[in-house]
Amino acid sequence: MAFHDKELTVPGTVEVAGRHVKRYHIDQPRRRLEPEVVDAASAYLPSLLPAPDGGTPPASWVVLHRGADTGAYLLAYSWFFDNVVECRIAVAGQPALACPDDDPAHFVDLDRPGVGCVWELGVLEHERLAWIRHVLAPERPDLAGYLADARAEGPVGHAHAGVQPGGVTGGVVVR
């Protein structure tokens, strides 16, 4: 399987289960997220979000990712204990990950401790810096600033992470 960029879109922020949730979608170049997959993910999302902890601004971000095969992946990242991220994942249409069928709109909890794939982790990199910039570094946390600071839409993948195949990064040749 050749590595390729995928398309990132940012549908906006919603409030779910007492949390402000920034939404990101990652599409395949030739397969967009179907409306029924987006609707099923929205319905499943509350089960992936923890209750606010009272001391940390109640913020999360979610990545809905359409796989190259039959699968769809829903990753909910939530801030807690001031500067820690919790990740809860649901999968659909991926029998290799214990899904009951190949329906990309039938989400079930992932029973493995995952964090995300290389495309999803690009969003995590942005969210980490945005949290520091708007919540941890200022004298007073700026939740509205954090929620407005989304990763730019467009290609997400190795060519957009500052790493080019065959290039050098940090003294290491990237192949």
Side-chain angles (χ1 to χ4, degrees), residues 57-145:
S60 299
W61 76 93
V62 63
V63 178
L64 177 57
H65 183 173
R66 187 63 163 102
D69 49 18
T70 60
Y73 310 91
L74 179 63
L75 297 91
Y77 300 90
S78 298
W79 291 103
F80 76 100
F81 197 57
D82 191 42
N83 60 12
V84 180
V85 174
E86 170 182 312
C87 181
R88 296 181 184 178
I89 302 173
V91 296
Q94 184 53 268
L97 293 176
C99 291
D101 52 43
D102 63 0
D103 179 358
H106 183 193
F107 285 94
V108 297
D109 284 352
L110 180 65
D111 64 356
R112 302 181 66 143
V115 176
C117 73
V118 295
W119 293 279
E120 297 147 1
L121 293 176
V123 175
L124 187 144
E125 290 169 340
H126 172 86
E127 291 299 318
R128 174 189 163 274
L129 292 173
W131 190 255
I132 292 168
R133 190 170 34 253
H134 297 287
V135 177
L136 299 179
E139 179 111 4
R140 278 180 260 164
D142 177 11
L143 181 59

Side-chain angles (χ1 to χ4, degrees), residues 9 14 32 40 78 87 145 152:
T9 56
V14 294
R32 309 296 291 180
S78 298
C87 181

